[in-house]
Amino acid sequence: MTSASVFSALAPYGWDDAWADAFTPYDAEGLLPGRVIRVDRGQCDVVTADGLVRADTAFVTPHDPLRVVCTGDWVAVEPAGNPRYVRTCLPRRTAFVRSTSSQRSEGQILAANVDHAVVAVSLAVDLDLARVERFLALAWESGAQPVVVLTKADLVPDPTTLSYLVQDVETTAPGVPVLPVSATRGEGLDVLAAVVSGGTAVLLGQSGAGKSTLANALLGEDVMEVRAARDVDGKGRHTTTTRNLLALPGGGVLIDTPGLRGVGLYDAESGVGQVFSEVEALAERCRFHDCAHETEPGCAVRDAIEAGELPQRRLESYRKLLRENQRIAARTDARLRAEIRRDWKRKGAEGRAAMEAKRGKWRP
Ligand SMILES: Nc1nc2c(ncn2[C@@H]2O[C@H](COP(=O)(O)OP(=O)(O)OP(=O)(O)O)[C@@H](O)[C@H]2O)c(=O)[nH]1
Ligand SMILES: [Mg+2]
Ligand SMILES: [Zn+2]
């Protein structure tokens, strides 16, 4: 396969010179480059210059859940065989990771090599700013640029109300564009199409937020299944069940994901810092370096709250997410330490067995 034909086939999926460079050693082995568009129980669909290939991921299923093949990954696939195996996964540029549940400390990777994390928030239900902050912390942490889209803007016909809602989210999301959109009326879609045309975007948000409807609107055809209209928001079962990568006609790549009820933070300290950048900027002006913004004199954060410049809710939310992140980090540390101890024990046992075998004492 010539590199020109690989480029023309894969450029719509985000292939570029840097990926081609990273792939050089695998090219020499005769493997095919491709992008994972869906993962499903040990199998994945990979778009290659040869067309769509169903490949087995048994080769590249490590113990570390953050290194399992995921939608958006660039991989090297065997040119033939039944089944065909994914032989390696190229190092990721970015990765969106959440913790699997609040009880466990394992991370789950939701999408790889994403440039824009588009957080879909439905205007059909009350805004939950704390949830938006949580999504944004993980989005920043992933290395992608976050964008908030307020979906179903047609359900808020009063422009003043809509602009207040946008402002509320904007104060919650410093440095993040907030875009009201309506898939039914088309408002905001041109701006969103322009944003996502520059690379790979992932759509994230609660079930029923309208992610797949947006994906279809951007695609210009009904590729993704959409929930029945009477089953309006939230409660029902998820309509989208796998993460799907789609090449957009106007350029760019979109990953539609199943709705997330919530996202647990996973090692997201710098992401949290970015979501609350105005709080952290204020904190730098506190008299004490380790100010807890409680009763300390000369606290710039409390001053800003009293002056009405910083909502009290923001400070509380900031503290809550920082604490949650520390808990997760501590648990991850504890888990890693336990794994290391287990490893030592195993090595110790193996060493003893080997020695005893040498001395002729060991019985299998
Ligand atoms: N009024 C209005 N309804 C919309 C709009 N976009 C989506 N909806 C409706 O919202 C419902 C949910 O849309 P989906 O696109 O399936 O939501 P989703 O976020 O993909 O949901 P999951 O796949 O379960 O995560 C559907 O009934 C849509 O018709 C919009 O712009 N305006
Ligand atoms: Mg969907
Ligand atoms: Zn302070």
Side-chain angles (χ1 to χ4, degrees):
M1 184 129 345
T2 67
S3 81
S5 60
V6 169
F7 257 96
S8 66
L10 295 182
Y13 289 90
W15 186 250
D16 59 24
D17 288 331
W19 289 122
D21 277 350
F23 194 77
T24 316
Y26 308 107
D27 191 38
E29 287 179 44
L31 298 171
L32 290 179
R35 194 160 196 195
V36 175
I37 63 165
R38 193 176 304 111
V39 178
D40 190 16
R41 281 172 246 120
Q43 303 266 304
C44 62
D45 291 332
V46 183
V47 53
T48 73
D50 257 4
L52 201 58
V53 169
R54 184 132 254 248
D56 197 296
T57 59
F59 256 107
V60 284
T61 306
H63 297 301
D64 181 353
L66 296 185
R67 293 185 50 221
V68 299
V69 171
C70 157
T71 303
D73 269 325
W74 284 100
V75 294
V77 200
E78 294 176 340
N82 189 17
R84 277 158 83 155
Y85 287 99
V86 172
R87 289 274 287 274
T88 198
C89 181
L90 297 186
R92 291 168 181 151
R93 291 180 188 169
T94 66
F96 192 97
V97 179
R98 67 157 173 178
S99 77
T100 39
S101 84
S102 54
Q103 299 313 313
R104 305 226 331 259
S105 53
E106 257 163 40
Q108 180 192 21
I109 171 150
L110 296 181
N113 302 315
V114 165
D115 303 290
H116 290 98
V118 180
V119 179
V121 179
S122 169
L123 288 173
V125 289
D126 286 342
L127 279 181
D128 181 344
L129 296 177
R131 182 180 304 129
V132 176
E133 286 164 341
R134 188 175 276 280
F135 270 107
L136 291 178
L138 290 179
W140 281 121
E141 193 67 38
S142 76
Q145 163 71 46
V147 178
V148 174
V149 290
L150 300 177
T151 61
K152 316 190 190 185
D154 52 285
L155 299 180
V156 186
D158 175 32
T160 319
T161 312
L162 183 61
S163 79
Y164 278 130
L165 290 168
V166 171
Q167 272 172 38
D168 270 359
V169 179
E170 277 172 346
T171 46
T172 298
V176 177
V178 178
L179 182 67
V181 299
S182 166
T184 48
R185 294 233 198 104
E187 283 131 318
L189 289 181
D190 47 349
V191 182
L192 183 60
V195 169
V196 300
S197 69
T200 299
V202 63
L203 279 166
L204 298 159
Q206 278 205 299
S207 193
K211 299 178 293 299
S212 299
T213 310
L214 273 181
N216 288 340
L218 293 169
L219 281 164
E221 54 180 316
D222 289 348
V223 170
M224 294 305 300
E225 195 193 332
V226 161
R227 171 183 306 233
R230 63 197 151 70
D231 186 8
V232 196
D233 253 278
K235 320 290 184 289
R237 60 181 186 85
H238 296 210
T239 307
T240 308
T241 53
T242 53
R243 301 186 271 272
N244 302 280
L245 184 143
L246 312 151
L248 296 173
V253 173
L254 192 66
I255 300 176
D256 186 18
T257 65
L260 298 167
R261 209 173 284 279
V263 281
L265 294 190
Y266 183 80
D267 199 4
E269 188 177 341
S270 80
V272 173
Q274 262 166 301
V275 178
F276 297 93
S277 55
E278 91 281 28
V279 183
E280 296 208 331
L282 285 167
E284 286 196 359
R285 307 211 317 262
C286 293
R287 187 177 308 160
F288 298 109
H289 210 67
D290 57 351
C291 183
H293 324 305
E294 273 158 9
T295 53
E296 294 90 338
C299 173
V301 173
R302 290 236 68 85
D303 287 351
I305 291 173
E306 266 145 46
E309 285 154 12
L310 177 71
Q312 172 78 29
R313 191 200 68 77
R314 282 283 281 169
L315 176 61
E316 279 158 16
S317 195
Y318 175 57
R319 283 189 174 131
K320 183 163 177 264
L321 289 188
L322 275 187
R323 270 199 306 272
E324 177 182 325
N325 192 60
Q326 279 157 2
R327 265 200 311 277
I328 296 283
R331 256 192 230 128
T332 307
D333 281 352
R335 181 170 59 82
L336 286 179
R337 247 182 271 122
E339 264 166 27
I340 290 169
R341 266 200 298 273
R342 259 201 302 282
D343 213 36
W344 281 347
K345 256 192 198 156
R346 188 175 53 74
K347 284 210 180 86
E350 280 169 9
R352 267 195 307 282
M355 259 156 58
E356 286 174 8
K358 238 187 233 163
R359 289 197 220 109
K361 277 192 209 161
W362 186 71
R363 308 259 183 285

